[in-house]
Amino acid sequence: MWLAGNSIGKEFVVSTFGESHGKIVGVIIDGCPAGLSLAEVDVQAEVDKRIPRHTKIVSERVEHDRVHFQSGVFNGFTTGAPITMVVENIDLDSSDYEDMKDLPRPGHADYTARVKFGGFNDYRGGGRFSGRLTVALVMAGTVAKLLLNQFGVDVFAYSKAIGDVKLDKSLSYEHVRSHRYETAVRCPDKDTAGKMEEAIITARKEGDSLGGVVEIVGANVPVGIGEPLFDSLDADIAKALFALPAVKGVEFGAGFKAATLRGSENNDAFQMFGDTIGTLTNNHGGVLGGISSGMPIVVRIAVKPTPSIAKEQKTVALTTTENVTLKVGGRHDPCIVPKAVPAAEAAVSIILVDHMIRAGVIPKVLKKEQA
Ligand SMILES: Cc1cc2nc3c(=O)[nH]c(=O)nc-3n(C[C@H](O)[C@H](O)[C@H](O)COP(=O)(O)O)c2cc1C
């Protein structure tokens, strides 16, 4: 395992590599059980969901990523050896970053990365801190999702709010699961999606950007997954979600609202549902004591507005230490939320697989009928 912060997981270990304007972006998965049916087209289909097409709400950078397997898959099945998957970086234009390299963008990682890595970091396109790196996570997430599906677990995410446009209709999980990728903003309700799209376009026209909220649901996760205290399920899910650039908050179930409730309001009463124990409400978001309860895992992330905006902002010229102003040019997403949806699904899926292997629910070799 790499020790420098580029890996996550204990049994299903995912390590990413690459930079935004480097040659490739890729991922190595060590610990994937043998015997999972896996093809490049499966991963390609998930990677294609990253970029909404035919819309003005994403960067103009063309990301027609082609997934290439390099190792770990033989005769259409995972072998148990490390799986390596890469995509090439194409459509690169680093010119804006040369002009800006001494002017750290407010809200971005330019300043902190430069200090930490002594100026040796690849700053082009945000380098290692670019949202582009989520393609690596999505590739690993596909493998995780396929594994989870073998055990009846399903993970899906959607945009719940963009700017001040909120999805306040209550939709069935079935509806969310089937329709979330049908709109460019990844909101399963067409009316709300239209308003979200308009809000993003308006912000972009004003040289500005918007943030929002993504909700992720893990359905049919068996009870008993998670390793308290320090590897509790919610802690590990939060860690993976905070590793997504631009995520500034994570909450489970009632989340921060729970702080305003009374115990009698917040407690989820237990009840028999046929022959299984469940709860009547899900304020706990599917995790109690760091262990899955069998109720759906419900987690939300707060995604901040894209830092790179065309409006004038104050910054410091790092070579002269003068106070200066900056207008960020180049190709940027006016809202990160739609692209964060598949990345968030991937992050949660990876952690669930890691913990299901640790709990012995997913074996190291899949039986023939599971494969
Ligand atoms: C999918 C995705 C796309 C992103 N696109 C951009 C972008 O176009 N421009 C930008 O300035 N930041 C973008 N970001 C956000 C930055 O990468 C992020 O804000 C920066 O690395 C600082 O990290 P922090 O916000 O987590 O502190 C994107 C993030 C994600 C997840």
Side-chain angles (χ1 to χ4, degrees):
M1 196 202 304
W2 303 347
L3 295 176
N6 296 298
S7 307
I8 193 158
K10 289 226 163 122
E11 290 284 344
F12 187 80
V13 185
V14 171
S15 308
T16 72
F17 53 90
E19 288 100 352
S20 181
H21 287 204
K23 207 171 171 198
I24 53 172
V25 166
V27 67
I28 299 177
I29 307 172
D30 198 3
C32 179
L36 176 73
S37 169
L38 185 66
E40 278 178 353
V41 286
D42 301 326
V43 184
Q44 189 67 55
E46 283 292 302
V47 164
D48 288 346
K49 289 182 189 165
R50 281 187 67 245
I51 316 290
R53 304 284 172 205
H54 314 297
T55 168
K56 292 192 175 119
I57 64 156
V58 290
S59 147
E60 290 99 39
R61 177 174 179 178
V62 177
E63 293 180 273
H64 285 301
D65 294 312
R66 284 287 147 258
V67 175
H68 300 287
F69 285 1
Q70 306 289 324
S71 69
V73 182
F74 179 59
N75 285 338
F77 290 91
T78 56
T79 61
I83 300 169
T84 311
M85 296 177 279
V86 299
V87 296
E88 274 177 63
N89 287 325
I90 52 168
D91 190 31
L92 301 179
D93 179 3
S94 307
S95 54
D96 289 303
Y97 294 92
E98 286 312 313
D99 301 339
M100 268 181 0
K101 72 172 190 254
D102 291 324
L103 304 176
R105 286 168 291 172
H108 214 292
D110 304 339
Y111 170 64
T112 50
R114 179 164 165 149
V115 173
K116 182 166 178 67
F117 299 109
F120 289 104
N121 57 301
D122 182 350
Y123 48 80
R124 298 166 304 162
R128 187 79 183 133
F129 302 89
S130 167
R132 173 134 185 85
L133 266 296
T134 58
V135 71
L137 211 65
V138 170
M139 288 193 280
T142 311
V143 179
K145 279 182 174 181
L146 290 171
L147 274 167
L148 291 175
N149 290 346
Q150 304 282 325
F151 295 85
V153 178
D154 204 4
V155 175
F156 46 91
Y158 64 101
S159 301
K160 203 169 172 64
I162 287 184
D164 56 13
V165 184
K166 293 187 179 67
L167 173 64
D168 42 25
K169 283 182 202 160
S170 142
L171 301 170
S172 70
Y173 284 159
E174 198 35 59
H175 181 92
V176 172
R177 200 153 52 104
S178 319
H179 300 289
R180 68 200 195 278
Y181 284 109
E182 286 175 7
T183 67
V185 289
R186 300 348 192 173
C187 173
D189 179 62
K190 286 210 165 74
D191 291 345
T192 315
K195 288 178 195 151
M196 288 173 167
E197 202 161 336
E198 269 169 41
I200 297 173
I201 291 167
T202 306
R204 175 177 240 175
K205 277 191 195 139
E206 291 165 359
D208 223 327
S209 60
L210 289 181
V213 175
V214 173
E215 182 166 275
I216 310 108
V217 178
N220 302 322
V221 177
V223 62
I225 306 299
E227 306 297 331
L229 291 176
F230 296 113
D231 292 352
S232 59
L233 189 60
D234 42 1
D236 278 355
I237 288 175
K239 178 172 180 168
L241 289 169
F242 271 124
L244 301 179
V247 170
K248 287 291 159 185
V250 177
E251 64 173 14
F252 286 79
F256 273 75
K257 194 177 148 231
T260 67
L261 300 176
R262 291 183 167 217
S264 54
E265 297 167 313
N266 186 55
N267 289 345
D268 299 306
F270 286 107
Q271 185 87 11
M272 289 306 296
F273 294 90
D275 55 2
T276 31
I277 297 176
T279 58
L280 288 173
T281 47
N282 191 16
N283 289 327
H284 67 288
V287 187
L288 289 168
I291 303 167
S292 60
S293 68
M295 290 297 286
I297 292 182
V298 180
V299 50
R300 283 177 296 280
I301 51 174
V303 180
K304 75 184 193 184
T306 316
S308 301
I309 52 173
K311 276 199 166 155
E312 192 168 271
Q313 302 175 85
K314 289 180 183 158
T315 190
V316 172
L318 296 175
T319 39
T320 61
T321 64
E322 273 175 295
N323 291 321
V324 291
T325 57
L326 165 75
K327 283 183 184 175
V328 181
R331 301 173 296 176
H332 295 280
D333 296 306
C335 179
I336 292 159
V337 176
K339 284 189 185 172
V341 166
E345 287 181 2
V348 173
S349 301
I350 288 164
I351 298 303
L352 287 175
V353 164
D354 186 45
H355 275 277
M356 284 171 69
I357 297 175
R358 288 173 75 175
V361 176
I362 298 182
K364 291 283 183 151
V365 180
L366 299 182
K367 291 196 206 101
K368 278 267 180 294
E369 60 269 26
Q370 284 163 349

